[in-house]
Amino acid sequence: MTIIPKSHPRLNSLLIREKLVNGFDNNLVAKEGLLAHGRGEAFDYLIGEKTSKSAKEAIKAAAFMLKNAENSVISVNGNFAALCPKEIIQLAKNTDSKIEVNLFYSSEKRKKAITKILKKSGAKEILGLNKKSSIKLLGIDSARRIVDKNGIFSADVVLVPLEDGDRTIALKKAKKKIVTFDLNPLSRTAETADITIVDNVTRSMKLLVIESKKKLKKSPTFNNNKNLKIAILEIKKNLERRAKDA
Ligand code: PTJ
């Protein structure tokens, strides 16, 4: 383990990186997951490593959508499991959502490691492990097409964090509502989802757990395209401010 000085100006970012590297060493995270994280880090730097106003709006809308779903499912991949195992369980409880492991770079070894950390964090039932209840979702070439009949396949709302665009498009074609976390507001996933939270999942999952405890009667007004435009403008403003200070 690397010793990170507590006074380091980018301590949080280094601690998150450490979680990913440990996750890789413990078979949770795919090699490609480390690359995906690097891409995320670059965008996090651009958004100023803090939760923006537009992300807070998206979090409110996501909490409402998950809580009011008939059959919501939280899809878990390696990066998500390594970064926020406790929050996944808390969110599932608060929103009465199922948890399903669904991997792009699928292997039994990784599924086992991910299940272990979710169980250690309090998960009771985890879908995506039983071949008998699996079924293929149309329009996806990767291992992600194998989903659980009682989970993603029959869900009306699916939370898909740190996602590849193809699956989001396929899930939308299957008439599901999609909530995602993506630090890149320009990604296909960000543009295809119904609600995109442009923030680091480590910050926004904590806020989503808090938000999902509240009793909201009315759906917040939310338009994903408009909100993404605001997220891009927030990055622009942040960069202009930095350029002025330079
Ligand atoms: O665990 P597996 O096998 O299912 O594989 C998962 C990865 C992440 C490797 C796979 O889904 C993948 O290749 O994803 P992409 O296409 O690289 O997309 C990941 C997106 O998540 C990128 O747009 C990143 O900017 C974004 N991202 C990375 N880290 C974070 C993030 N968004 C929010 N929070 C982060 N910490």
Side-chain angles (χ1 to χ4, degrees), residues 62-82:
F64 187 87
M65 187 179 272
L66 285 164
K67 277 186 95 157
N68 289 280
E70 289 283 317
N71 182 12
S72 52
V73 175
I74 301 174
S75 179
V76 178
N77 66 13
N79 290 44
F80 196 30

Side-chain angles (χ1 to χ4, degrees), residues 6-243:
K6 289 222 162 57
S7 58
H8 196 286
R10 298 188 63 242
L11 181 66
N12 269 344
S13 166
L14 294 185
L15 292 173
I16 299 171
R17 193 183 284 180
E18 181 110 329
K19 278 190 189 171
L20 255 295
V21 172
N22 289 339
F24 174 72
D25 289 341
N26 293 314
N27 300 313
L28 295 168
V29 175
K31 238 187 267 163
E32 295 80 356
L34 298 177
L35 299 176
H37 183 72
R39 192 136 46 105
E41 265 189 7
F43 278 101
D44 207 6
Y45 202 78
L46 297 180
I47 71 171
E49 294 175 333
K50 58 179 198 294
T51 306
S52 62
K53 237 172 136 185
S54 67
K56 286 181 187 157
E57 291 303 310
I59 289 169
K60 274 188 209 153
F64 187 87
M65 187 179 272
L66 285 164
K67 277 186 95 157
N68 289 280
E70 289 283 317
N71 182 12
S72 52
V73 175
I74 301 174
S75 179
V76 178
N77 66 13
N79 290 44
F80 196 30
L83 291 176
C84 358
K86 287 201 182 96
E87 289 82 3
I88 293 171
I89 314 306
Q90 288 165 348
L91 183 67
K93 250 189 215 160
N94 294 353
T95 59
D96 197 17
S97 299
K98 293 174 184 162
I99 296 173
E100 179 166 342
V101 176
N102 183 277
L103 304 179
F104 190 92
Y105 302 101
S106 188
S107 77
E108 287 308 311
K109 200 172 165 190
R110 289 189 59 221
K111 277 189 184 175
K112 261 193 199 150
I114 292 169
T115 306
K116 196 171 153 195
I117 193 160
L118 291 175
K119 287 224 161 127
K120 206 173 144 198
S121 307
K124 298 270 178 314
E125 196 190 4
I126 301 169
L127 303 177
L129 310 168
N130 183 355
K131 286 197 177 107
K132 279 186 193 149
S133 62
S134 68
I135 189 165
K136 280 184 193 157
L137 202 70
L138 291 176
I140 311 177
D141 292 330
S142 76
R144 280 190 157 163
R145 68 187 181 282
I146 314 289
V147 293
D148 197 290
K149 268 186 216 160
N150 305 312
I152 292 173
F153 189 75
S154 51
D156 55 343
V157 176
V158 192
L159 174 69
V160 291
L162 284 72
E163 184 64 28
D164 68 294
D166 290 350
R167 185 165 74 130
T168 313
I169 293 168
L171 289 170
K172 282 303 301 167
K173 279 193 182 144
K175 306 261 181 291
K176 297 174 194 310
K177 294 269 183 213
I178 302 297
V179 177
T180 193
F181 296 96
D182 198 330
L183 277 159
N184 177 3
L186 305 167
S187 78
R188 279 188 309 152
T189 299
E191 286 175 350
T192 314
D194 296 276
I195 300 176
T196 304
I197 302 166
V198 181
D199 193 20
N200 198 312
V201 74
T202 56
R203 291 189 296 268
S204 43
M205 263 301 271
K206 288 194 175 78
L207 298 176
L208 185 53
V209 167
I210 295 171
E211 202 60 42
S212 64
K213 278 192 193 147
K214 296 183 187 164
K215 285 194 178 100
L216 269 184
K217 284 201 186 94
K218 222 175 101 218
S219 168
T221 316
F222 184 81
N223 177 310
N224 205 47
N225 283 340
K226 273 193 194 157
N227 208 56
L228 282 176
K229 281 188 189 136
I230 296 172
I232 293 165
L233 287 175
E234 284 165 343
I235 292 177
K236 188 174 167 236
K237 272 191 198 151
N238 192 31
L239 291 179
E240 280 168 356
R241 201 170 36 241
R242 293 293 297 265

